[in-house]
Amino acid sequence: MSEMKIAADVIAAENGACAQALDADYAALGETLARRGIEIDNITDKVSEFSVAVPSWGVGTGGTRFARFPGGGEPRGIFDKLDDCAVIHQLTRTTPTVSLHIPWDKADPKELKAKGEALGLGFDAMNSNTFSDTVGQSQSYKYGSLSHTDAATRAQAIEHNLECIEIGKAIGSKALTVWIGDGSNFPGQSHFTRQFERYLASMAEIYKALPDDWRLFSEHKMYEPAFYSTVVQDWGTNYLIANTLGPKAFCLVDLGHHAPNTNIEMIVARLIQFGKLGGFHFNDSKYGDDDLDAGAIDPYRLFLVFNELVDAEHRGVDGFHPAHMIDQSHNVTDPIESLMASANEIRRAYAQALLVDRAALDGYQDENDALMATETLKRAYRTDVEPILAQARRRAGGAIDPIATYRASGYRKKVTMERPASVSGGGGIV
């Protein structure tokens, strides 16, 4: 990384204070895993290779439908956002790419690419926005975008997605994520079939513009902002979309976009089985699409999702390379700290899933031994893999304790002095 946002001596000093304890903890965990036939360095190497993209919008303070309370040092635009994203990667060594959202992050692609290269960052999937109106656009999305009854509105939404592809091509992205809020709030407001036909036709136009080496991710969501019905409401509809569009179309799974108690890990397994799992927006929820920090509410569910991913990796599923992205709204925490914590929790779930005894689990499943099958999963989940995560960060030049190091650096205080205070506005998650 050529442009370091956190001074190297700060990281060195913080790591120095933690190094002896980490070495002892890592050695002890290594002995424990060795008795289970697991070489700890092999797990650490795999964890080191795992990365997750951070969302550009995630480094700003979020909000609810009722209010937004800005924090100090909020980014003024995409280049400040990239600086903040660079801090996250510098300390965690887990987030080498950033996912942009257009039009909020619209800028000269050459400047975006140069800034990313200077910070040691690449660009992940592009995200379009047709769920809210932009100043100056001719058609409103109040009653829909890609599925709107008006052809001119649909054309405008399609053109916006094509623009996202062009920006992405210029900065090195390889995917487009399309999420729409289209639907209805009242019975009878929309004709379900005709609405879906319009959506598929619009998506087909976007699909045709994809470069050969790109993927198109469609994202389902049960509700919000449409509350009676949404056009892409569940994984079954999402699968139909991906299957209809073609081999470059895949389903994106946001962990908060499901009804409470939905078995998300089984959805993941189904999409893997039929070759349509595109990737994830990682977050957590208690009641709905809460966009809470990953692993904040149900870390076991996150582990179970990764159990399916590691199982597919273990089986060598053809063409299996899901995209990993974070999608969160930070209302009461420092966004940089939350994103670092989430990146760590996502890696934690991956590391724990790598510890599952696959041969034993297969045997218990074949024998219908329900108790020992679930105990096999819990044994891996209960293992404290923090020494592995910390060692992976240290070996890559990151911080043993990213949040403590970030606080010691004074970065938030520094940018609060440099960036004008954000004015509190209305609601909205971004």
Side-chain angles (χ1 to χ4, degrees):
M1 184 182 293
S2 56
E3 187 178 328
M4 305 278 282
K5 307 307 296 184
I6 305 296
D9 61 341
V10 173
I11 298 176
E14 290 294 312
N15 281 358
C18 302
Q20 185 174 357
L22 173 58
D23 289 339
D25 291 344
Y26 190 77
L29 178 58
E31 291 179 5
T32 298
L33 294 179
R35 290 195 292 271
R36 290 155 59 175
I38 300 171
E39 171 54 53
I40 190 171
D41 282 336
N42 292 341
I43 303 298
T44 305
D45 288 344
K46 286 187 177 182
V47 168
S48 297
E49 294 170 359
F50 180 91
S51 64
V52 59
V54 289
S56 63
W57 59 95
V59 292
T61 304
T64 69
R65 289 195 300 276
F66 304 104
R68 178 177 178 274
F69 303 95
E74 292 214 65
R76 296 161 291 187
I78 181 55
F79 297 105
D80 284 351
K81 292 177 184 179
L82 290 175
D83 283 339
D84 290 355
C85 291
V87 170
I88 297 167
H89 183 51
Q90 183 184 356
L91 297 180
T92 67
R93 308 309 298 170
T94 307
T95 60
T97 57
V98 181
S99 192
L100 300 188
H101 217 311
I102 306 300
W104 297 315
D105 299 327
K106 192 172 180 180
D108 184 332
K110 291 181 181 178
E111 293 182 14
L112 284 172
K113 189 171 183 180
K115 179 71 172 180
E117 290 174 349
L119 295 170
L121 297 172
F123 295 96
D124 208 271
M126 301 296 294
N127 297 265
S128 60
N129 170 22
T130 62
F131 51 84
S132 65
D133 289 344
T134 301
V135 176
Q137 73 181 49
S138 59
Q139 310 295 324
S140 174
Y141 298 132
K142 180 176 182 178
Y143 296 109
S145 58
L146 294 174
S147 71
H148 202 288
T149 55
D150 177 59
T153 304
R154 296 197 302 275
Q156 176 182 269
I158 292 168
E159 183 58 35
H160 169 65
N161 279 277
L162 300 186
E163 178 189 30
C164 291
I165 293 173
E166 291 304 310
I167 295 172
K169 286 163 60 178
I171 63 176
S173 176
K174 295 293 183 182
L176 172 68
T177 297
V178 179
W179 175 76
I180 61 170
D182 295 24
S184 65
N185 280 326
F186 294 92
Q189 177 183 335
S190 300
H191 190 282
F192 295 147
T193 301
R194 290 198 296 267
Q195 188 181 50
F196 193 47
E197 287 172 347
R198 292 191 296 266
Y199 169 82
L200 288 173
S202 297
M203 286 289 280
E205 291 299 312
I206 298 168
Y207 184 89
K208 285 193 298 186
L210 283 179
D212 291 340
D213 58 347
W214 273 50
R215 292 186 291 171
L216 177 63
F217 300 143
S218 54
E219 185 178 0
H220 59 275
K221 187 175 184 180
M222 186 179 66
Y223 70 95
E224 197 185 38
F227 286 92
Y228 171 65
S229 69
T230 51
V231 174
V232 189
Q233 85 283 9
D234 58 28
W235 75 273
T237 295
N238 205 353
Y239 175 77
L240 289 174
I241 293 164
N243 212 39
T244 299
L245 291 177
K248 293 184 289 186
F250 296 87
C251 303
L252 190 75
V253 177
D254 184 303
L255 298 190
H257 286 194
H258 305 83
N261 303 318
T262 296
N263 191 328
I264 299 175
E265 57 268 27
M266 189 171 73
I267 293 172
V268 171
R270 292 286 187 268
L271 292 175
I272 291 171
Q273 183 175 2
F274 293 98
K276 284 299 182 181
L277 178 67
F280 296 88
H281 272 178
F282 288 113
N283 49 53
D284 211 338
S285 68
K286 179 67 174 178
Y287 301 106
D289 187 23
D290 307 332
D291 274 345
L292 300 173
D293 294 8
I297 302 296
D298 194 349
Y300 192 54
R301 180 175 65 185
L302 183 61
F303 162 75
L304 292 175
V305 167
F306 270 95
N307 177 58
E308 297 302 327
L309 299 180
V310 171
D311 174 73
E313 184 181 297
H314 177 74
R315 291 185 287 115
V317 173
D318 186 47
F320 180 71
H321 55 104
H324 302 114
M325 294 170 279
I326 299 172
D327 180 16
Q328 297 176 179
S329 178
H330 311 109
N331 304 325
V332 295
T333 60
D334 181 321
I336 290 177
E337 293 186 359
S338 271
L339 287 167
M340 289 194 296
S342 292
N344 194 54
E345 289 307 302
I346 293 164
R347 260 193 176 180
R348 184 190 311 280
Y350 177 58
Q352 290 168 325
L354 288 172
L355 300 181
V356 174
D357 187 333
R358 299 285 154 190
L361 182 61
D362 287 346
Y364 294 134
Q365 290 172 341
D366 288 344
E367 296 164 5
N368 296 310
D369 192 334
L371 181 66
M372 289 309 298
T374 199
E375 283 297 314
T376 300
L377 291 182
K378 286 183 178 179
R379 186 184 192 194
Y381 175 71
R382 287 192 293 253
T383 303
D384 181 5
V385 296
E386 187 59 40
I388 292 174
L389 307 180
Q391 189 73 280
R393 291 192 296 269
R394 178 169 67 167
R395 289 178 180 177
I400 292 175
D401 187 337
I403 293 177
T405 303
Y406 168 73
R407 292 189 174 189
S409 75
Y411 180 82
R412 179 59 65 188
K413 181 178 180 181
K414 174 177 177 291
V415 296
T416 297
M417 295 175 64
E418 295 174 350
R419 302 171 184 172
S422 177
V423 178
S424 179
I429 64 169
V430 179

